[in-house]
């Protein structure tokens, strides 16, 4: 009776009503094994305690409630005469019993009753409604078209109460496990028990079987599985349900079970070589028995435990053959790639040369559509290939390549290093060195990546294409190192017809990044554009020149041009899934520059999540830098600190700069002492940083002043002014230089020039605030006006921390500004929500999915999820249902 407390309370209510002289009808229904018969047994016991006379029977023994059974048997099949006699006999008998006191009529398995019996029951319930008779009637809900369903509908219309026995909940499952096993189940055991679908019979058979076979061990107050095999008792219990099915239906269920928990009749028909129409009789029988149930667009096994018993009952060779056949059927289906891959993995045996060759073909076909599935298949094919087999080397390369495509870099590196532990032909060995170099490059381990590329070049007899791959790997690893790598890149671009497009494009990119670091932005962009022109098919072979060009354009505050470049690139090549974060991260940086900090954070989170943080090192650092900067400017300093320290590798210069800004915001400039000079030196080696964040130079000068480090401030100003002079086409550099010079020299005119020149609203507001601070001693009126302008700009961007700082400065001047701005909200409740959060909340409260909300608000699903997390935190709720309830109450 675990989990049936509510239902038992309803039964007791029925008995107490009859005890008080009031009749009632309770209709119990549920699938096989839900405890209907047990409920009847307990009800009879309780009836006796409450002084009721029990009258019990099952549908096929109903005549036993009357003394007229011999006459009824003589009448044979159901007929109006038999129905009339049965009703008269039952009414007479029950009236007599009810005259002596309250009666419980307990009738089980009414789905087995004939129409005459059911008709008599319906009439009797009406005729005896003046007597203290409690009717407890039950039927199985999985029967299709049974007349008992119509009886229940009629009785319910007449006032009867339904009492469905649904699946047991999680708490009842845990309590049942404790009853049977003597300890609380651990997550693995809970997951296995969930296969019973909350069916008490199946659950009990499973748990008791595990206990009886010693498949559970108790330790630390927890019950844990010690064997993954289903117990014989569970198999037997399920087998009894299956034994009543026809061989045709058993065959159908076997194939369906191998397909999975859910399946389509079309797939089963194709596997069996027949039509869906021919399956209808068998499917009808399986549905009627309760083994299957109908879902919206498929059929499914009601209980996964039943499906597992069926699958495990199939001999292993037959099961493997079925999995292989199923995989071949599903591989061409849209949206079924992952499922097909799973079946193929289970359907191939070690040493099966033909099957493994077919698996190789499937990997190549699946890779463009589903890199994860392709990687799983490739790794499995490798596991089934012996070390001495000739296909071992090519399958190793395929497995490593597909793992890189999915971002599973550590797994790919392990496979590559394991392969080097055994002899390998020179050409596959060189290719594997190139792949390992790519992995290390993506992980930010440049020196090791260069070593692997050099090892590839050292292999004898390389083909031209393979030598190009190795050269490209070396260029990528040494990009930014200068010296020999630049000479190598220059020699490659000057050669004529000696190299392929990929290597030439990579060489131009190497030269472009070198010029970029040197502050020659115009030259760097021109070389990057040439890399894109030379790329052709190069995007499938290493770095993505269009993405790199888009990053450079974003650095120089040209987001529209960056978007155009990205649009021309189309989808990122599936061969380099690690780069899929680029569009979102570049979008985050554009939002950051435009002062849309919440949108910037959402896009940065989406980008970092796209590859699990395992994309190219510089790209991931850029994403973390954008995320930390956005949250810092939005006022959440602690979150910014977490993001700034989220890199598992040496941070890029942009991330190092933001990390320092976060540290200064949390702990003050003094916390940077000792760290600040090396940071300045790092920034000066990568002068493009001073235009990528036009306010960075000003912050460095301001911090240098706080630390009493004028030489560092002077070096920064010199560097940004040189950057502006060398790149007159970029006004952002001129504004950054004017801002830094104004702070260093205390020049109001330079700061005014910065206010006019900055294109980003936050940098402009920062320059205006610096101007206000500068003119305060000379003109209070001018300072207040400048502070007010900066305050309005900060408030418009939700820059809470910056706005608070300006208010404090105004108060020191004797001016108090009330918090009328949209950012001055409570920390919780509806009033704390931003406009975007409120819009998301209203749509979610209308039961729209994240995808539908995203479509309506012109944002990504990840952005919706980001805002929704903030809504839940501010409203102190944990679900969409609670949000809908709060929204409804608010609108009443």
């Amino acid at each position: 009776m675990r989990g049936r407390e509510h239902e038992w309370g309803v039964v007791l209510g029925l008995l107490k009503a009859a005890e008080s002289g009031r009749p009632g009808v309770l209709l119990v229904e549920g699938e096989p094994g839900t405890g209907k018969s047990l409920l009847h047994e307990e009800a009879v016991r309780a009836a006796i305690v409450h002084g009721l006379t029990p009258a019990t029977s099952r549908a096929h023994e109903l005549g036993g409630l009357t003394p007229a059974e011999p006459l009824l048997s003589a009448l044979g099949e159901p007929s109006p005469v038999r129905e009339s006699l049965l009703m008269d006999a039952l009414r007479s008998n029950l009236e007599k019993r009810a005259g002596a006191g309250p009666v419980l009529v307990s009738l089980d398995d009414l789905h087995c009753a004939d129409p005459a019996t059911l008709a008599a029951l319906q009439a009797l319930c009406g005729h005896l409604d003046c007597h203290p008779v409690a009717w407890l009637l039950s039927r199985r809900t999985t029967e299709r078209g049974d007349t008992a369903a119509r009886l229940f509908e009629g009785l319910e219309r007449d006032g009867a109460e339904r009492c469905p026995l649904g699946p047991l909940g999680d708490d009842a499952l845990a309590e049942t496990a404790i009853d049977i096993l003597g300890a609380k189940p651990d997550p693995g055991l809970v997951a296995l028990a969930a296969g019973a679908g909350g069916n008490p019979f199946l659950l009990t058979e499973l748990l008791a079987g595990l206990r009886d076979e010693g498949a559970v061990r108790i330790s630390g107050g927890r019950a844990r599985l010690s064997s993954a095999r289903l117990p014989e008792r569970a198999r037997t219990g399920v087998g009894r349900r299956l034994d009543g099915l026809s061989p045709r239906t058993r065959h159908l269920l076997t194939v369906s079970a191998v397909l999975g928990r859910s399946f389509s009749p079309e797939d089963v028909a194709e596997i069996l070589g027949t039509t869906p129409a021919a399956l209808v009789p068998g499917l009808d029988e399986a549905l009627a028995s309760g083994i299957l149930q109908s879902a919206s667009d498929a059929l499914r096994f009601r209980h996964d435990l039943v499906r597992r018993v069926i699958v495990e009952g199939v001999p292993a060779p037959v099961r493997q053959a079925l999995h292989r056949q199923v995989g071949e059927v599903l591989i061409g289906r849209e949206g079924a790639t992952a499922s097909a891959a799973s079946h193929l993995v289970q359907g191939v045996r070690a040493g099966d040369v033909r099957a493994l060759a077919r698996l190789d073909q499937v990997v190549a076909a699946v890779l463009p559509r589903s890199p994860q599935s392709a990687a799983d298949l490739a790794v499995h094919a490798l596991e089934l290939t012996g070390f001495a087999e000739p296909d071992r080397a090519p399958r190793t390369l395929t497995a490593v390549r597909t793992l890189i495509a999915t971002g599973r870099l550590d797994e790919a590196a392990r496979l590559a290093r394991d392969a080097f532990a055994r002899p390998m032909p020179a050409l596959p060995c060189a290719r594997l060195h190139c792949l390992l170099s790519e992995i290390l490059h993506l992980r930010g381990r440049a020196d090791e990546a260069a070593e692997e590329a050099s090892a590839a070049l050292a292999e004898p007899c390389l083909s031209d294409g393979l030598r190009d791959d190795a050269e490209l790997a070396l260029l990528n690893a040494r990009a930014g190192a200068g010296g020999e790598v630049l000479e190598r890149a220059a020699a490659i671009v000057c050669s004529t017809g000696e190299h392929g497009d990929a290597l030439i494009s990579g060489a131009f990119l190497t030269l472009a990044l070198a010029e970029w670091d040197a502050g020659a932005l115009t030259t760097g962009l021109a070389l990057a554009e040439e890399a894109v022109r030379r790329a052709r098919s190069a995007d499938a072979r290493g770095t993505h020149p269009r993405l790199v060009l888009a990053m450079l354009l974003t650095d120089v505050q040209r987001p529209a041009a960056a978007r155009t470049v990205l649009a021309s690139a189309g989808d990122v090549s599936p061969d380099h899934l690690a780069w899929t974060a680029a569009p979102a991260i570049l979008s985050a940086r554009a939002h950051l520059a435009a002062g849309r900090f919440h949108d910037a954070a959402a896009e940065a989170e989406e980008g970092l999540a796209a590859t699990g943080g395992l994309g190219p090192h510089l790209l991931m650092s850029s994403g973390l830098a954008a995320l930390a900067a956005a949250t810092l400017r939005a006022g959440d300093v602690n979150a910014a600190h977490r993001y700034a320290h989220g890199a598992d590798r040496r941070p890029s210069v942009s991330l190092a700069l933001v990390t320092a800004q976060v540290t200064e915001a949390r702990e003050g400039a003094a916390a940077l002492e000792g760290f600040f000079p090396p940071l300045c030196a790092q920034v000066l080696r990568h002068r493009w940083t001073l235009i990528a964040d036009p306010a960075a130079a000003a912050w460095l000068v301001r911090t240098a002043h706080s630390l009493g480090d004028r030489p560092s401030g002077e070096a920064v100003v010199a560097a940004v002014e040189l950057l502006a002079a060398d790149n007159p086409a970029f006004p952002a550099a001129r504004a950054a230089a004017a801002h830094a010079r104004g702070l260093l020299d205390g020049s109001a005119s330079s700061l005014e020039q910065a206010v006019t020149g900055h294109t980003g609203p936050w940098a402009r507001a920062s320059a205006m605030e610096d101007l206000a601070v500068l003119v305060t001693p000379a003109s209070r009126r001018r300072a207040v006006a400048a502070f007010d302008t900066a305050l309005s700009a900060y408030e418009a961007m939700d820059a809470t921390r910056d706005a608070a700082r300006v208010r404090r400065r105004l108060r020191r001047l004797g001016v108090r500004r009330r918090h009328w701005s949209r950012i001055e909200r409570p920390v919780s409740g509806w009033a704390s929500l931003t406009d975007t959060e409120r819009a998301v909340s209203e749509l979610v409260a209308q039961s729209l999915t994240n995808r539908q909300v995203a479509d309506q608000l012109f944002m990504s699903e990840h952005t919706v999820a980001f805002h929704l997390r903030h809504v839940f935190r501010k409203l102190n709720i944990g679900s969409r249902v609670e949000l809908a309830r709060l929204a409804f109450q608010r609108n009443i």
Side-chain angles (χ1 to χ4, degrees):
M1 298 295 289
R2 287 291 190 190
R4 299 298 185 213
E5 291 80 9
H6 171 73
E7 293 83 351
W8 180 241
V10 175
V11 171
L12 288 179
L14 175 74
L15 299 179
K16 290 177 180 178
E19 186 181 9
S20 301
R22 300 192 309 274
V25 181
L26 185 62
L27 310 173
V28 178
E29 52 190 2
E31 65 178 70
T34 49
K36 298 182 296 296
S37 298
L38 179 60
L39 196 66
H40 278 276
E41 294 172 10
E42 294 296 327
V44 169
R45 294 190 184 97
I48 296 172
V49 173
H50 285 272
L52 278 70
T53 301
T56 65
S57 181
R58 293 185 181 275
H60 61 283
E61 303 165 343
L62 198 58
L65 291 178
T66 78
E69 175 61 22
L71 175 60
L72 294 172
S73 299
L75 289 173
E77 294 298 318
S79 68
V81 175
R82 187 180 188 279
E83 178 186 331
S84 177
L85 285 172
L86 177 61
M87 186 177 72
D88 289 343
L90 286 171
R91 181 172 62 185
S92 175
N93 189 19
L94 292 175
E95 283 178 343
K96 181 179 178 181
R97 296 190 188 189
V103 176
L104 169 66
V105 180
S106 171
L107 301 177
D108 197 3
D109 292 340
L110 286 176
H111 52 276
C112 299
D114 59 62
T117 300
L118 297 173
L121 277 176
Q122 185 164 9
L124 274 173
C125 289
H127 285 307
L128 296 175
D129 60 1
C130 294
H131 297 76
V133 178
W135 296 85
L136 183 61
L137 312 177
S138 67
R139 62 177 282 266
R140 184 183 296 175
T141 54
T142 54
E143 298 294 337
R144 302 179 68 195
D146 66 278
T147 51
R150 292 192 289 275
L151 167 67
F152 275 37
E153 290 168 2
L155 291 174
E156 188 175 26
R157 284 194 298 271
D158 293 338
E161 182 179 0
R162 281 190 190 257
C163 182
L165 298 182
L168 297 181
D170 293 341
D171 289 342
L173 186 152
E175 290 168 355
T176 303
I178 293 172
D179 290 340
I180 295 173
L181 303 175
K184 188 176 181 179
D186 79 333
L189 187 51
V190 169
L192 177 63
N199 184 284
F201 171 76
L202 293 176
L203 178 62
T204 301
E205 294 298 287
L206 173 65
L207 295 176
L210 291 171
R211 177 199 62 199
D212 296 345
E213 294 182 13
V216 172
R217 56 184 175 85
I218 310 292
S219 63
R222 287 278 198 166
R224 294 175 171 81
L225 282 172
S226 57
S227 171
R229 186 177 183 275
L230 291 177
E232 189 60 36
R233 180 167 171 173
R235 296 169 184 271
T236 302
V238 173
R240 284 197 295 268
R241 291 188 62 183
L242 299 173
D243 286 343
L245 302 175
S246 66
R248 172 190 58 196
T249 301
R250 292 287 298 270
H251 183 202
L252 171 65
L253 288 174
T254 297
V255 173
S256 303
V258 172
L259 263 167
R261 177 81 183 269
S262 297
F263 60 91
S264 73
E266 291 86 352
D267 289 339
V268 178
E270 184 171 349
I271 292 166
L272 293 175
T274 185
T275 64
L279 303 181
V280 171
L283 291 174
D284 275 343
E285 186 180 3
L287 288 164
S289 69
I291 302 296
L292 299 181
Q293 61 183 167
S294 179
S296 58
D297 57 353
L299 297 176
R300 70 193 304 267
F301 282 85
R302 188 179 295 271
H303 308 104
D304 195 54
L305 180 63
V306 173
R307 186 193 69 83
R308 279 194 60 184
V309 169
I310 295 173
V311 171
E312 292 183 13
V314 179
V318 178
R319 189 164 64 242
Q320 282 187 321
L322 281 173
H323 277 301
R324 187 165 154 192
Q325 185 181 2
V326 170
E328 292 286 358
V329 167
L330 296 181
I331 197 65
R333 301 278 172 85
E334 185 175 355
T337 304
S339 178
S342 175
H343 285 291
L344 289 170
V345 163
Q346 298 175 74
V348 180
R349 299 187 303 275
D352 189 338
V353 176
R354 182 179 175 185
L356 286 169
R358 173 59 181 149
L359 203 56
D360 293 338
Q361 296 172 355
V362 171
V363 170
V366 167
L367 181 60
R369 288 180 286 143
S370 178
Q372 288 287 1
S373 297
D376 291 339
L377 288 173
V379 170
H380 188 65
L382 180 62
E383 290 171 347
L384 297 177
T385 305
F387 292 112
E389 294 183 26
D391 291 325
R392 179 76 187 186
R395 286 193 182 124
T396 298
L397 293 171
T398 299
V400 172
R401 192 176 293 115
T402 54
L403 287 171
I404 294 173
T406 61
R408 292 154 64 177
L409 303 181
D410 291 340
E411 192 176 348
R414 281 196 300 272
L415 276 185
R417 295 191 191 282
D418 288 347
F420 286 135
R422 293 179 177 83
M424 183 184 298
L427 294 184
C429 186
R431 291 194 183 280
L432 198 56
H433 279 299
C434 290
L435 291 174
L436 185 53
S437 176
E438 181 178 355
I439 294 168
L440 295 168
H441 169 61
L442 291 174
R443 295 298 256 157
R445 293 156 61 178
D447 291 341
E448 294 174 69
E451 289 176 8
E452 293 297 332
S454 298
L457 288 169
E459 292 289 343
C461 305
L462 298 182
S463 64
D464 290 342
L466 183 50
R467 183 170 293 280
D468 275 6
D469 288 346
E471 288 279 7
L472 180 57
L474 185 59
L475 291 181
N476 290 338
R478 288 300 188 198
E484 181 183 346
V485 71
L486 294 181
E487 295 176 5
R488 201 168 196 136
I492 290 169
V493 300
C494 292
S495 63
T496 305
E498 294 182 20
H499 303 290
D501 293 330
L503 179 56
I504 294 174
S505 176
F508 272 110
L509 276 185
T510 299
L511 296 173
L513 294 175
E515 295 291 339
W516 203 254
D517 272 344
L521 307 183
T522 301
T523 303
L525 279 179
L527 289 168
E529 289 166 353
E530 183 62 24
V532 170
R533 282 192 290 272
R534 295 293 189 102
R536 299 182 188 175
S537 63
D539 276 5
R541 303 210 22 220
T543 55
H544 289 263
R546 285 179 179 82
L547 294 179
V548 173
L549 175 59
M551 291 176 69
L552 301 185
L553 288 167
T554 303
D555 283 345
V556 294
Q557 311 302 310
R558 292 183 178 178
R563 286 194 295 271
T564 300
V565 170
L566 283 179
S568 71
D571 291 335
V572 176
S573 166
D575 283 344
H576 288 84
L577 194 63
W579 283 89
T580 55
I585 288 175
L586 293 178
S587 178
R589 292 179 59 192
H591 283 307
L592 179 63
R596 298 185 292 269
F597 304 134
H598 293 296
D599 291 337
E603 290 285 354
E605 278 197 340
E606 177 181 352
L608 293 168
T611 60
L614 295 177
H617 174 54
L618 289 178
L619 186 62
M620 295 298 99
S621 285
S622 179
L624 285 171
L627 183 55
T631 49
L632 174 63
R633 292 178 185 178
D636 194 342
V637 180
N638 290 330
H641 175 75
R642 290 196 304 272
Y643 296 135
H645 292 84
D648 60 353
R649 293 162 272 176
R650 182 181 176 184
S652 64
V653 59
S654 57
L655 182 55
L657 180 60
V658 173
T659 301
Q661 292 171 346
V662 172
T663 300
E664 185 264 340
R666 293 181 83 221
E667 305 171 36
L672 297 176
E673 194 168 0
F675 169 74
F676 186 71
L679 173 66
C680 289
Q682 186 180 9
V683 169
L684 298 186
R685 286 195 301 272
H686 305 280
R687 285 187 291 149
W688 57 268
T689 311
L690 301 175
I691 191 174
D693 177 5
W699 179 85
L700 288 167
V701 172
R702 200 181 300 117
T703 304
H705 177 74
S706 297
L707 293 171
D709 184 4
R710 185 173 178 84
S712 289
E714 291 174 343
V716 169
V717 171
V720 71
E721 287 182 338
L722 179 61
L723 184 70
D726 288 346
N727 299 277
F730 302 104
R734 291 198 300 276
H739 196 168
R741 174 58 69 181
L743 286 171
L744 183 69
D745 295 346
S747 168
S749 60
S750 294
L751 290 176
E752 288 170 348
Q753 181 184 346
V755 169
T756 304
H758 278 311
T759 56
W762 191 86
R764 190 185 310 120
S766 176
M768 182 61 76
E769 182 184 0
D770 286 330
L771 176 62
V773 171
L774 180 65
V775 301
T776 294
S779 173
R780 177 182 177 279
R781 181 184 59 80
R782 185 182 177 190
V784 170
F787 277 135
D788 279 340
T789 301
L791 177 61
S792 296
Y794 285 141
E795 288 177 340
M797 292 179 282
D798 279 353
T800 56
R801 180 173 170 274
D802 300 308
R805 183 181 60 248
V806 171
R807 286 194 197 91
R808 183 183 62 198
R809 284 174 163 165
L810 282 167
R811 284 195 299 272
R812 289 172 179 171
L813 295 176
V815 178
R816 292 187 176 274
R817 295 294 182 228
R818 296 187 65 182
H819 300 175
W820 289 109
S821 69
R822 64 191 181 97
I823 63 161
E824 289 300 326
R825 307 181 180 89
V827 296
S828 62
W830 283 102
S832 70
L833 302 185
T834 66
D835 292 342
T836 303
E837 288 167 353
R838 191 173 293 110
V840 168
S841 299
E842 290 170 354
L843 294 175
V844 169
Q846 298 169 27
S847 299
L848 271 67
T849 65
N850 283 11
R851 176 71 269 164
Q852 292 168 325
V853 174
D855 290 341
Q856 290 205 22
L857 298 182
F858 304 100
M859 59 180 64
S860 72
E861 285 185 78
H862 288 282
T863 304
V864 172
F866 174 83
H867 289 304
L868 202 54
R869 287 196 296 275
H870 283 272
V871 170
F872 282 10
R873 175 178 56 80
K874 291 179 179 181
L875 299 184
N876 193 28
I877 57 177
S879 72
R880 303 166 84 95
V881 174
E882 292 178 275
L883 177 59
R885 176 178 57 79
L886 289 178
F888 175 75
Q889 292 172 346
R890 179 170 173 266
N891 293 325
I892 292 178

